[in-house]
Amino acid sequence: MKKKVTVLIIDDVDQSKIIDALNKQLKRTCEFEAISIRTTDVELREDGSDHLDVIKLKERIKDLISSKHINWALTDFNLSEDDIDGIDVVEILTELRKNLKIIMYSGNRKAVVKRVLGKVKLQEATEEEIVEAVRKLMEYQIIDYVKRDEYKDKLIELINRDDEPTVHDYFLEQLRQHSEMEFKSCYAPLKGKTLGEIADMIEKQSDKRVDSWTQELVEQTIAYLIKINE
């Protein structure tokens, strides 16, 4: 059985040719799906403006990934915006999915470091300032930074060497496939939550109730297995 791989790609330019190439190269090794968001879409503009609306972008991302387990997210750093770039996108992604694996690509990777350094010029940055910039980048949980024309091959490399999905991954994937379903039984503290909301809570590790809920599910599963094997 082929592993299922779903990626999210965010760019200001249409990525359909890259996605077609990925589909062709990965079809023998996995069930590949790419969700693409083009930041220059009219629907993502601020009302009466040509500027990207961050709130609309966040809602678009949230809607498209709500029922999906995302294995990798990729974003361009240069989004043709004056005040919004790939770092802003990464902040949105990590807010929505805390442990999401992210790849950032750019035609000019120095621009990423300059962005984090802020007003400090790269040529004049001290060793401590550069170390602090790298530390900030690590906090974003970005797996890799690659050149724009290299991200397709890098993604293929990572997918091919990635381990098979864990039980935890499969569990989250199944919850997200039924994200709108309301939870009604088994564990009262989570009653009324949707399975998608519970998946978010598990991934963000934001509520200890999900640990108790997961334990309850395991105990009920074991009890069921014992019963049918008696």
Side-chain angles (χ1 to χ4, degrees):
M1 182 178 178
K2 294 181 182 179
K3 63 182 178 181
K4 186 175 182 181
V5 176
T6 304
V7 303
L8 173 67
I9 302 175
I10 300 173
D11 202 304
D12 60 323
V13 178
D14 179 43
Q15 296 299 294
S16 56
K17 289 184 178 179
I18 297 291
I19 292 171
D20 287 344
L22 285 166
N23 273 307
K24 289 178 182 178
Q25 290 184 253
L26 291 168
K27 64 182 180 181
R28 292 184 179 180
T29 58
C30 67
E31 293 181 24
F32 179 76
E33 178 184 6
I35 301 170
S36 179
I37 296 177
R38 186 174 177 179
T39 58
T40 50
D41 283 351
V42 176
E43 295 83 359
L44 297 178
R45 302 288 95 187
E46 292 179 354
D47 295 337
S49 168
D50 289 332
H51 296 295
L52 176 63
D53 189 319
V54 176
I55 295 175
K56 290 181 179 179
L57 175 62
K58 181 178 178 180
E59 287 304 311
R60 172 74 65 85
I61 296 172
K62 186 176 180 180
D63 289 343
L64 289 177
I65 71 174
S66 63
S67 61
K68 304 285 185 179
H69 175 68
I70 306 298
N71 299 87
W72 299 91
L74 301 94
T75 181
D76 186 11
F77 174 75
N78 307 103
L79 296 174
S80 303
E81 300 288 331
D82 294 332
D83 54 355
I84 300 172
D85 56 36
I87 295 294
D88 298 298
V89 173
V90 169
E91 289 176 349
I92 292 172
L93 292 171
T94 53
E95 179 183 345
L96 294 174
R97 298 280 176 90
K98 181 180 179 181
N99 298 315
L100 187 59
K101 292 181 287 189
I102 300 171
I103 299 171
M104 180 177 288
Y105 56 89
S106 173
N108 180 8
R109 288 185 289 181
K110 286 184 179 180
V112 181
V113 178
K114 288 181 179 178
R115 160 72 156 83
V116 179
L117 283 172
K119 296 181 179 180
V120 180
K121 292 183 179 180
L122 183 59
Q123 295 85 346
E124 301 173 1
T126 65
E127 182 178 343
E128 290 77 12
E129 288 169 334
I130 292 176
V131 169
E132 180 60 24
V134 173
R135 185 177 293 114
K136 286 181 181 179
L137 289 173
M138 290 174 64
E139 289 175 359
Y140 289 124
Q141 299 185 41
I142 301 173
I143 301 299
D144 209 339
Y145 310 89
V146 296
K147 293 180 181 178
R148 182 181 183 83
D149 58 0
E150 294 176 352
Y151 91 75
K152 175 177 70 68
D153 292 335
K154 185 63 180 181
L155 179 61
I156 291 172
E157 174 194 332
L158 291 169
I159 289 174
N160 286 334
R161 80 181 189 197
D162 203 16
D163 295 332
E164 291 296 317
T166 64
V167 173
H168 181 265
D169 293 334
Y170 183 72
F171 184 45
L172 286 175
E173 179 183 339
Q174 292 300 307
L175 288 175
R176 294 197 186 283
Q177 285 184 7
H178 307 281
S179 60
E180 300 301 318
M181 183 179 292
E182 182 179 330
F183 181 70
K184 298 179 180 179
S185 62
C186 173
Y187 187 67
L190 293 183
K191 186 175 180 180
K193 295 282 187 184
T194 65
L195 296 187
E197 288 173 335
I198 293 174
D200 288 339
M201 292 164 67
I202 293 173
E203 197 153 19
K204 292 179 180 178
Q205 300 174 343
S206 60
D207 196 317
K208 292 184 178 180
R209 291 179 297 174
V210 294
D211 294 331
S212 299
W213 178 70
T214 305
Q215 182 178 340
E216 182 75 22
L217 287 181
V218 171
E219 290 174 354
Q220 290 200 18
T221 301
I222 296 300
Y224 172 74
L225 289 174
I226 292 172
K227 183 176 181 180
I228 63 175
N229 281 281
E230 286 178 346

